[in-house]
Amino acid sequence: VGDGDDADASVLEECAGAAVSALPSNPKLFLRRYLGTWVLETWVPGIVAIQRGFAPRRGDVVLASPPKCGTTWLKALAFATMARGAHPPAGDPGHPLLRANPHDCVPFMERLFAAGLGSKVMDALPSPRLMATHMHHSILPASIAENPDCKIVYICRDPKDMLISMWHFSRRIRPDLAFSDLFEAACEGSCLSGPIWDHVLGYWNASKASPERVLFLRYEEMLRDPVGNVVKLSQFLGRPFSPAEAEAGVAMDVVRLCSFQKLKDLEVNRADSGSSPLGGVIREGAFVNSSYFRRGEAGDWANHMTPEMARRLDAAMEERLRGSGFSF
Ligand code: A3P
């Protein structure tokens, strides 16, 4: 434990108890509103610690997303792309993604910093570091948002599918959670990572202003053209596939390694418990590896939502996104 951990610890102490409990809340969903964004209560100290104490390193890559929008997939794809020198995506039986869940390959910042391990774990990562966050762009520290040496890859998804995915995921630990509670909160802007329109707009606008620093991806587009998106990702990360790699189909190898079915069927991802050596500290919490792989499709919302609900959520999104140049 070094100085960085002491600093993390003092921030956590400061945030503990009174300060967090004074924030507006959505008790049904265990959320607090922090600087206009709805986050899990337990993440607030982590976010404050990131804002105050994140020490950037040249080449850092932050994977940003609202929850349940393809974070696991993006973690796997970015990790496989960045690590392909040491670990070829095909023909390496020791590839980390064959042995560990993607969430154990790329740490989740809010949780890590909330546990007081931000500096310790992040300092130990080799450069270029990959890390993930669900924070809105508006609350990222300048050390990430305005840092020319730090890149951000964002992924979002049709909010209707995101909500259905979130409901299934949450019910694993809260079987009594009513979909209507989640739905109403989303329409009002107060679901996890809400307002969703602000989450998307923050990164959309940042990607328009600084396309060399913020790459904006969409889950549905990735499903339609995974190889094209991996090529785009590799170029953005400054690791384009060489002509020899292109000839050998390495981008396709990355896509295959990270495909929904491939990852879902791995022994490690069928496990009943998390495999993290840090006991769930670097990922989202008490979720087992298999819970990150459900259907992996677009449009499942139609099996769960009435057309009227879909229209309402679409309209809420459209109203807020109007004029931005972005639409779902
Ligand atoms: P569904 O619940 O709709 O199936 P996150 O990773 O942000 O938690 O998002 C989870 C969603 O991504 C889930 O959606 C999950 O099934 C899907 N997913 C996980 N791994 C995937 C992969 N390799 N390819 C495509 N989708 C994937």
Side-chain angles (χ1 to χ4, degrees):
V1 176
D3 291 350
D5 299 288
D6 294 342
D8 285 356
S10 73
V11 169
L12 294 183
E13 217 164 277
E14 214 178 294
C15 298
V20 176
S21 62
L23 296 173
S25 72
N26 178 336
K28 276 188 184 162
L29 303 180
F30 305 111
L31 305 180
R32 293 280 173 183
R33 199 179 73 213
Y34 178 66
L35 298 177
T37 75
W38 287 92
V39 297
L40 269 188
E41 187 165 72
T42 51
W43 294 352
V44 177
I47 294 171
V48 175
I50 292 165
Q51 290 175 324
R52 294 187 186 174
F54 173 71
R57 219 191 263 166
R58 195 180 168 79
D60 279 348
V61 177
V62 176
L63 309 179
S65 59
K68 312 323 292 173
C69 288
T71 318
T72 313
W73 194 15
L74 180 60
K75 282 184 175 185
L77 290 171
F79 182 88
T81 300
M82 300 276 277
R84 70 187 192 272
H87 299 288
D92 174 9
H95 198 290
L97 284 169
L98 298 177
R99 292 180 284 123
N101 181 275
H103 292 283
D104 292 330
C105 298
V106 180
F108 175 51
M109 296 176 76
E110 287 89 315
R111 217 176 146 72
L112 198 59
F113 279 79
L117 290 169
S119 307
K120 191 177 178 187
V121 173
M122 298 298 296
D123 285 356
L125 286 180
S127 286
R129 304 185 295 188
L130 274 175
M131 59 206 90
T133 183
H134 291 318
M135 288 165 74
H136 280 229
H137 190 271
S138 60
I139 64 167
L140 289 177
S143 57
I144 296 174
E146 289 162 25
N147 187 339
D149 293 329
C150 176
K151 295 193 175 202
I152 299 173
V153 183
Y154 184 69
I155 186 166
C156 66
R157 181 185 197 186
D158 181 332
K160 302 190 291 302
D161 280 336
M162 169 196 159
L163 275 192
I164 295 300
S165 184
M166 191 180 283
W167 182 58
H168 283 286
F169 189 70
S170 308
R171 275 170 35 111
R172 286 174 168 262
I173 56 167
R174 277 193 68 196
D176 61 329
L177 179 67
F179 180 67
S180 55
D181 286 339
L182 213 53
F183 181 80
E184 290 303 325
C187 292
E188 285 163 17
S190 61
C191 66
L192 178 56
S193 280
I196 295 304
W197 45 84
D198 283 347
H199 204 292
V200 174
L201 274 180
Y203 288 95
W204 173 254
N205 291 334
S207 75
K208 291 288 137 203
S210 309
E212 71 295 345
R213 285 203 300 110
V214 184
L215 177 66
F216 191 98
L217 300 173
R218 301 170 66 143
Y219 183 81
E220 295 79 8
E221 274 300 315
M222 310 245 307
L223 286 178
R224 259 192 293 275
D225 179 14
V227 173
N229 277 282
V230 165
V231 169
K232 200 195 307 184
L233 177 66
S234 71
Q235 288 164 346
F236 175 78
L237 295 174
R239 302 288 185 93
F241 294 100
S242 67
E245 285 181 312
E247 172 83 6
V250 178
M252 177 52 101
D253 291 340
V254 168
V255 167
R256 282 205 193 99
L257 173 66
C258 302
S259 77
F260 177 79
Q261 211 55 49
K262 171 81 181 177
L263 293 181
K264 184 183 165 81
D265 288 345
L266 290 173
E267 190 58 42
V268 65
N269 291 327
R270 284 193 272 150
D272 283 342
S273 60
S275 64
S276 170
L278 287 165
V281 156
I282 70 166
R283 54 158 86 193
E284 280 175 277
F287 292 96
V288 297
N289 287 350
S290 57
S291 59
Y292 293 95
F293 308 94
R294 194 180 64 92
R295 291 176 70 110
E297 296 164 1
D300 187 38
W301 63 265
N303 299 317
H304 297 276
M305 271 187 208
T306 64
E308 174 49 31
M309 289 171 108
R311 265 194 296 276
R312 221 182 114 196
L313 188 54
D314 283 345
M317 295 300 300
E318 270 165 37
E319 189 187 326
R320 302 326 201 290
L321 296 175
R322 196 167 299 138
S324 68
F326 178 83
S327 64
F328 280 106

